[in-house]
């Protein structure tokens, strides 16, 4: 049995005043039987890790550099995130791939860096609308998974997030059949590469317009082990409904 995960991605949203949402989430998710991860902007990681301490909620980063230190102005290393109290980091989100030209090879190196610092790597894959329309979805996702995931993956050091680019922030979601097709495909790929135990142990999240109203049906699809949630993770009142659906 894989334990489900409700993961929130605040993207470039949140000021110190937003830390109250975490306080509320702590209260509302007490006793949750799923794993809860919240990834605020880097400026809030340390403060939120302090607030989350003892609650079981893991605070994560949204990106990291593959080096530990050095002349990389504006970048943050995995060790810095860990030092700030993070336990996980999102890597290869489609917005980073699009806005910063991140490649599978870079995501792979960043994942190794995350492990070096003791962080779980949440590795994102997903097709664009054009790729889906062209029937390329599984090819694209298979290639991203292979290229972005390093050797040495275990059931606990990676989490895969399937996020169709066209479903992110749009209110549109694939059908449950389409979600299941991709998640079954990803499961098969993980088992083929890493063997039964690891391949069947890795959690595969769905992301893209997950809301309290659709979370339960999406999380019930085969091989969907929870969600990576953007907009609906910003308010504890919404996100706690998604945590409840993952319990
Ligand atoms: P969304 O974003 O839930 O706002 O669609 C999901 C994500 O990009 O992780």
């Amino acid at each position: 049995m894989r334990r489900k995960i409700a993961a929130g991605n605040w993207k470039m949203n949140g000021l110190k005043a937003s830390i109250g949402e975490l306080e509320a989430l702590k209260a509302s998710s007490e006793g949750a039987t799923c794993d809860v991860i919240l990834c605020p902007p880097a400026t809030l990681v340390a403060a939120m890790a302090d607030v989350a301490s003892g609650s079981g909620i893991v605070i994560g980063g949204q990106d990291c550099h593959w080096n530990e230190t050095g002349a990389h102005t504006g970048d943050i290393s995995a060790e810095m995130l860990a030092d700030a109290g993070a336990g996980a980091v999102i890597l290869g989100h489609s917005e980073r791939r699009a806005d910063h030209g991140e490649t599978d090879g870079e995501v792979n190196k960043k994942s190794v860096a995350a492990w070096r610092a003791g962080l779980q790597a949440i590795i994102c894959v997903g097709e664009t609308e054009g790729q889906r329309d062209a029937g390329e979805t599984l090819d694209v996702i298979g290639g991203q998974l292979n290229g972005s995931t390093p050797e040495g993956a275990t059931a606990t050091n990676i989490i895969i997030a399937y996020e169709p680019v066209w479903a992110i922030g749009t209110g549109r979601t694939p059908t449950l059949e389409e979600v299941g097709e991709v998640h079954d495909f990803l499961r098969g790929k993980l088992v083929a590469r890493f063997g039964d135990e690891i391949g069947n142990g890795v959690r595969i999240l769905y992301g893209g317009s997950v809301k309290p109203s659709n979370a339960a049906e999406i999380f019930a699809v085969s091989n969907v082990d929870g969600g990576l949630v953007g907009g609906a993770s910003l308010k504890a009142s919404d996100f706690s409904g998604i945590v409840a659906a993952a319990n």
Side-chain angles (χ1 to χ4, degrees):
M1 263 305 278
R2 291 179 299 268
R3 194 172 155 99
K4 283 196 164 41
I5 301 174
N9 171 13
W10 276 12
K11 308 190 180 185
M12 199 172 72
N13 298 290
L15 301 173
K16 280 189 273 182
S18 322
I19 294 173
E21 295 299 329
L22 175 60
E23 307 268 11
L25 182 69
K26 246 174 95 165
S28 63
S29 64
E30 211 173 316
T33 55
C34 64
D35 290 338
V36 180
I37 304 175
L38 199 54
C39 302
T43 47
L44 294 181
V45 166
M48 285 181 56
D50 281 349
V51 171
S53 164
S55 70
I57 298 174
V58 171
I59 301 301
Q62 299 176 8
D63 176 47
C64 69
H65 198 278
W66 51 84
N67 285 343
E68 189 176 343
T69 56
H72 303 288
T73 302
D75 279 319
I76 294 174
S77 71
E79 283 76 6
M80 291 169 180
L81 288 172
D83 185 53
V89 59
I90 298 171
L91 297 172
H93 189 283
S94 61
E95 287 153 14
R96 301 247 8 131
R97 292 177 187 265
D99 293 356
H100 299 273
E102 279 191 14
T103 63
D104 293 335
E106 288 170 349
V107 178
N108 191 306
K109 288 197 286 183
K110 291 177 178 204
S111 301
V112 172
W115 299 346
R116 187 183 65 213
L119 304 180
Q120 278 187 305
I122 305 172
I123 299 173
C124 304
V125 299
E127 83 286 2
T128 63
E129 185 159 34
Q131 289 165 334
R132 178 161 281 273
D133 290 346
E136 295 166 3
T137 298
L138 298 184
D139 276 352
V140 167
I141 287 166
Q144 288 176 334
L145 181 75
N146 246 335
S148 303
T149 310
E151 291 306 325
T154 70
T156 50
N157 70 7
I158 58 165
I159 295 164
I160 303 298
Y162 167 54
E163 300 203 305
V165 176
W166 51 274
I168 294 176
T170 59
R172 294 167 58 204
T173 53
T175 65
L176 298 178
E177 288 70 25
E178 287 167 338
V179 172
E181 182 192 23
V182 172
H183 280 245
D184 290 350
F185 171 79
L186 288 168
R187 178 70 61 209
K189 285 273 183 200
L190 290 168
V191 168
R193 179 160 167 208
F194 297 111
D196 272 344
E197 199 176 321
I198 293 172
N200 282 315
V202 172
R203 270 84 59 89
I204 307 175
L205 310 184
Y206 168 79
S209 298
V210 175
K211 304 182 283 269
S213 58
N214 64 14
E217 62 178 17
I218 293 172
F219 296 172
V221 173
S222 90
N223 284 312
V224 175
D225 303 308
L228 179 56
V229 183
S233 71
L234 293 171
K235 292 273 165 245
S237 51
D238 291 328
F239 194 46
S240 53
I242 292 167
V243 171
N247 276 332

